[in-house]
């Protein structure tokens, strides 16, 4: 019985964050430039509020100019678009992130497409999606979660994934689809699976690299995993567990970590895996946006 290596997202994110902080200090010293990040949140979704607070805190720790705009739940589409227009035209802001999901009455697509591509640090604009899928990433913004997953995969297997089979579970625009593009770009042979896939466990068993982004607690178990695979868990699911007769809420991923670790070579935990990497990739994208906007080159 093997025990998989634990891919520590907290440690990787801290290292990357330290590097971004050093580069931000150099940018100030040498070019009098401070990267600016604006986060827009509409409404009071508690999970979104936690994410937004973490993003602001990390941006400040990196030395960024950081602003948060909190709009009321019942804000109109026009109000949200007017704020984005203002931020698009604000030279102190290099990255704009609109926290999703938006309240149901708002048109999410129109909002995400209103952010100018050069400030789209989420990588949701069609221009950035097109650059990613066509392999033109030199000045593109790649969505933060798949970009973070990719760094973790590279740390295990190197940047060239030639000959590896990768299976992505989930086909969302935020994770599954851009993840598939990145893996393909790195020469992996990629299969994207989803809720309509026949024999999902059988398909996952062919994978040297598994990225689980389904949003269902612990569904990927050890008997789905090819021995020696690298398993990345994007899921953040809140479940109730009983501790000493009391019901407590706990975060868990899409993989059943303990059983997967008996088979895999390496796996990411939840919490402490992909989550911290996602936030730090937002900082990396914001620094990149500031550099590109100032004609300094991506990195
Ligand atoms: N909500 C959940 N994940 C994300 C993300 O990556 N970006 C934004 N803007 N909202 C999210």
């Amino acid at each position: 019985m093997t025990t998989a290596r634990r891919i520590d997202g907290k440690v990787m994110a801290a290292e990357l964050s330290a590097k971004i902080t050093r580069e931000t200090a150099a940018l100030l010293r040498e070019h009098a430039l401070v990267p600016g990040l604006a986060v827009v949140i509409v409404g009071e979704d508690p999970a979104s509020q936690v994410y937004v607070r973490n993003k602001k805190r990390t941006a400040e720790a990196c030395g960024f100019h950081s602003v948060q705009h909190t709009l009321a739940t019942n804000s109109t589409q026009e109000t949200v678009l007017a704020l984005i227009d203002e931020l698009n035209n604000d030279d102190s802001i290099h990255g704009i992130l609109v926290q999703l999901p938006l309240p149901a009455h708002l048109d999410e697509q129109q909002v995400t497409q209103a952010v100018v591509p050069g400030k789209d640090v989420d990588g949701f604009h069609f221009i950035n999606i097109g650059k990613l899928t066509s392999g033109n990433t030199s000045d593109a913004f790649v969505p933060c979660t798949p970009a973070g997953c990719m760094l973790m995969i590279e740390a295990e297997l190197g940047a060239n994934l030639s000959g590896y089979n990768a299976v992505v579970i989930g086909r969302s625009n935020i994770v599954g689809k851009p993840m598939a593009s990145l893996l393909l770009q790195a020469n992996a042979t990629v299969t994207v699976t989803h809720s309509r896939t026949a024999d999902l466990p059988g398909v996952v068993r062919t994978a040297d690299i598994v990225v689980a982004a389904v949003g269902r607690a612990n569904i990927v178990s050890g008997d789905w995993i090819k021995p020696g695979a690298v398993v990345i868990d994007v899921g953040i699911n809140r479940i109730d567990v009983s501790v000493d007769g009391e019901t407590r809420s706990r975060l868990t991923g899409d993989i059943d970590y303990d059983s997967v670790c008996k088979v895999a070579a390496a796996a990411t935990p939840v919490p402490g895996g992909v989550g911290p990497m996602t936030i730090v990739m937002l900082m990396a994208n914001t620094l990149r946006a500031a550099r590109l906007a100032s004609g300094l080159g991506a990195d």
Side-chain angles (χ1 to χ4, degrees), residues 48 51 55 97-101 122 124 144-145 174 278:
S48 290
Y51 295 142
K55 287 167 185 172
L97 178 141
V98 182
Q99 185 66 30
L100 303 180
D122 252 332
F124 293 166
C144 304
T145 299
I174 298 187
T278 294

